[in-house]
Amino acid sequence: MNNAGPQLETLVDLDAIAHNVRILVEHAGGAAVMVVVKADGYNHGAVEVGRAALAAGARELGVTTIAEAVTLREAGITAPILCWLNASDADFGAAIEHDIEVAVSSVAHLEAVAEAARRLGRQATVSLKVDTGLNRNGTSVTEFPRVLELLKQLVGEQTVRFRALFSHLAVADEPEHPATDMQRDRFLEYVAAAEAHGLPPELVHLSNSAAALTRPDLAFDMIRPGIAIYGLSPMPEISDFGLRPAMTFRARIALVKQVAAGEGVSYGHRWHADRDTTVALIPAGYADGVPRPLSGRITVEIGGERYPNVGRICMDQLVVDLGDNPAGITVGDTAVLFGAEPHQPHADEWATALGTINYEVVCAPRGRVLRTHIGGTR
């Protein structure tokens, strides 16, 4: 990448995506795999990840909004797509026209979908998302009977097709936590109630990445992995499960210069050189997804070696200390902020330093950062 290519880039390896999908397919046993590509594929590119995942054995895709699902359809993806978080005044007509499955969580949502279906003269496909204890999105136990009554009426009218019943786990990343079994039991009660009401779902699904990797008993008809598809463990303190990180965040060095002993570096002079040294300027800052609280707490990899960040991370740039620069690092050389190789900084290192999770780290690169896909069948 020396003296060529973009200044800031996330490199997304679609072969790593395929590898991770195959691991999840194996864990799923006989269950199907729905790959979650919300938030533009966790910032990896929803369309490209979706295609790679389906080619590797996934059967369905999951997103948050109708707009995200429509983008996949307009890219030519024909596999089943579920979207599960929309306001009751969302454009459900667009979902119906593009054959997108809509999850409903209330009577108001179901009424809005039905109104759109009647207006278009086309049947809508719906799933029920039920709240089993996360207490976030999903039909509450108190509203569920009214949702079932309306759903039965709409199915009888052939206004909607009832495809699936699903829920989401709260603490599956703590494999021994009793709340997961509690949620499983509540989930089965919802399923039994729907069946008793004459509404047997075509399929049921519950498992996120953590459950898919550690709780085969919760696979049901389909698993719904997200972060594991991108090669990051939902439980990095336990295992990487053989997953391969798909994203590398890298930059071209913009400047290499000498700094004398005693000189301060970057805003606030929080770091002073304790000897004559060489520093490299990397054109990446908090506007690009490198959080300021990481100042002085990360390393970057250049030419197979790691070098520490010194001084404050700024809006557009950060500085690393090269010491005597025995490798002869120069302008245009590649600096990896986090990547996929064992010798490179890992997204988990950033997450630990920030007191957050790897999901947030890979979602951060933005703005001036160019995304490039490699591998796969692009």
Side-chain angles (χ1 to χ4, degrees), residues 27-376:
H27 277 273
V33 175
M34 174 189 287
V35 166
V36 179
V37 293
K38 64 181 182 178
D40 198 14
Y42 289 46
N43 202 29
H44 290 67
V47 170
E48 294 83 0
V49 168
R51 289 173 177 155
L54 292 166
R59 294 191 205 171
E60 308 194 12
L61 301 178
V63 295
T64 301
T65 66
I66 293 168
E68 289 177 323
V70 169
T71 296
L72 297 173
R73 283 283 184 256
E74 290 179 341
I77 291 175
T78 59
I81 302 172
L82 170 68
C83 65
W84 53 68
L85 182 59
N86 299 281
S88 58
D89 61 352
D91 186 3
F92 294 112
I96 296 167
E97 289 175 330
H98 287 86
D99 190 26
I100 294 161
E101 182 180 342
V102 175
V104 295
S105 297
S106 69
V107 169
H109 283 101
L110 189 51
E111 287 175 337
V113 173
E115 191 278 329
R118 293 184 183 114
R119 185 178 69 251
L120 293 172
R122 293 178 57 176
Q123 188 179 55
T125 300
V126 301
S127 285
L128 291 184
K129 185 169 189 181
V130 295
D131 184 4
T132 54
L134 184 56
N135 288 305
R136 205 176 58 174
N137 190 28
T139 305
S140 67
V141 67
T142 54
E143 191 172 8
F144 190 58
R146 290 193 291 130
V147 172
L148 287 181
E149 285 294 334
L150 179 56
L151 180 61
K152 186 170 184 179
Q153 172 192 329
L154 296 173
V155 168
E157 297 170 358
Q158 296 189 326
T159 301
V160 304
R161 167 195 172 197
F162 175 40
R163 183 161 190 253
L165 191 148
F166 72 107
S167 189
H168 196 43
L169 296 168
V171 287
D173 54 345
E174 299 177 36
E176 305 303 320
H177 201 290
T180 300
D181 287 341
M182 176 270 291
Q183 286 193 262
R184 174 204 59 202
D185 294 344
R186 289 181 178 178
F187 184 61
L188 292 173
E189 289 172 3
Y190 275 113
V191 174
E195 291 174 341
H197 212 76
L199 291 168
E202 296 175 23
L203 69 163
V204 296
H205 47 99
L206 180 64
S207 289
N208 56 7
S209 289
L213 291 165
T214 63
R215 292 291 301 266
D217 59 307
L218 302 182
F220 293 108
D221 299 310
M222 185 162 64
I223 62 172
R224 207 173 57 245
I227 195 65
I229 297 299
Y230 305 95
L232 299 176
S233 172
M235 298 163 286
E237 70 285 355
I238 295 176
S239 175
D240 65 9
F241 299 97
L243 303 168
R244 285 169 45 190
M247 180 185 288
T248 297
F249 187 15
R250 64 188 190 177
R252 285 193 299 131
I253 294 172
L255 184 68
V256 175
K257 63 193 298 183
Q258 303 299 311
V259 173
E263 288 290 315
V265 170
S266 195
Y267 288 131
H269 281 183
R270 299 295 182 181
W271 182 87
H272 292 79
D274 59 4
R275 79 282 189 215
D276 291 346
T277 193
T278 304
V279 299
L281 183 68
I282 297 173
Y286 55 79
D288 309 295
V290 187
R292 191 169 180 264
L294 289 177
S295 297
R297 305 173 69 189
I298 58 171
T299 61
V300 303
E301 182 265 326
I302 308 169
E305 298 292 332
R306 291 214 199 182
Y307 300 90
N309 162 235
V310 294
R312 280 182 174 157
I313 294 169
C314 309
M315 182 180 290
D316 317 295
Q317 53 199 296
L318 60 88
V319 178
V320 296
D321 184 13
L322 303 178
D324 295 331
N325 194 17
I329 292 166
T330 189
V331 170
D333 285 349
T334 300
V336 175
L337 285 83
F338 63 77
E341 300 301 324
H343 63 281
Q344 294 173 339
H346 195 283
D348 286 333
E349 296 177 34
W350 283 28
T352 298
L354 290 166
T356 187
I357 53 176
N358 48 30
Y359 302 58
E360 184 175 357
V361 172
V362 293
C363 284
R366 60 186 180 273
R368 293 166 287 204
V369 182
L370 177 72
R371 183 195 295 142
T372 301
H373 292 94
I374 61 172

